[in-house]
Amino acid sequence: MRVGRDPRVGRDAAAARSEARDAREAVTALNQRDAAVAVDLLVGAVERLMRAGGARGLIAGGGLERAWRDVHAIAAHAALQPAPAAAAYAATVFPTSP
């Protein structure tokens, strides 16, 4: 699966949104949600690579094994969990109290 470049997402979009004068809670939540989704996609890609690599991908110290370990360590960060990031963004877009 190839993911096209969308100018509304990604590092450059996040930087532009955060540097805008009207950077507010919704922008921060949107950037967090985008980062969580990106990491989730990255984990999926590394998982597919590991399956394709078979037993050779498990060689200790190998590039694929290290990438798998590093990506999973990054994905474990609390700020990069998809469900809480999506909930935080939804709360800014659809506030429950006036």
Side-chain angles (χ1 to χ4, degrees):
M1 175 178 138
R2 183 173 177 176
V3 178
R5 289 192 54 107
D6 186 337
R8 296 170 295 169
V9 296
R11 184 186 66 207
D12 295 338
R17 286 191 302 250
S18 67
E19 291 174 1
R21 288 181 185 259
D22 64 340
R24 54 193 186 280
E25 191 175 327
V27 172
T28 301
L30 177 60
N31 286 345
Q32 181 183 1
R33 186 212 58 187
D34 286 354
V37 169
V39 168
D40 199 43
L41 291 171
L42 185 59
V43 167
V46 170
E47 289 292 331
R48 288 190 299 278
L49 286 171
M50 282 297 281
R51 281 195 305 270
R56 289 182 185 219
L58 298 173
I59 296 172
L64 188 53
E65 182 269 340
R66 180 172 178 149
W68 181 89
R69 186 170 25 97
D70 290 350
V71 165
H72 279 81
I74 292 166
H77 193 284
L80 296 174
Q81 301 306 305
Y89 177 65
T92 63
V93 175
F94 307 109
T96 56
S97 60

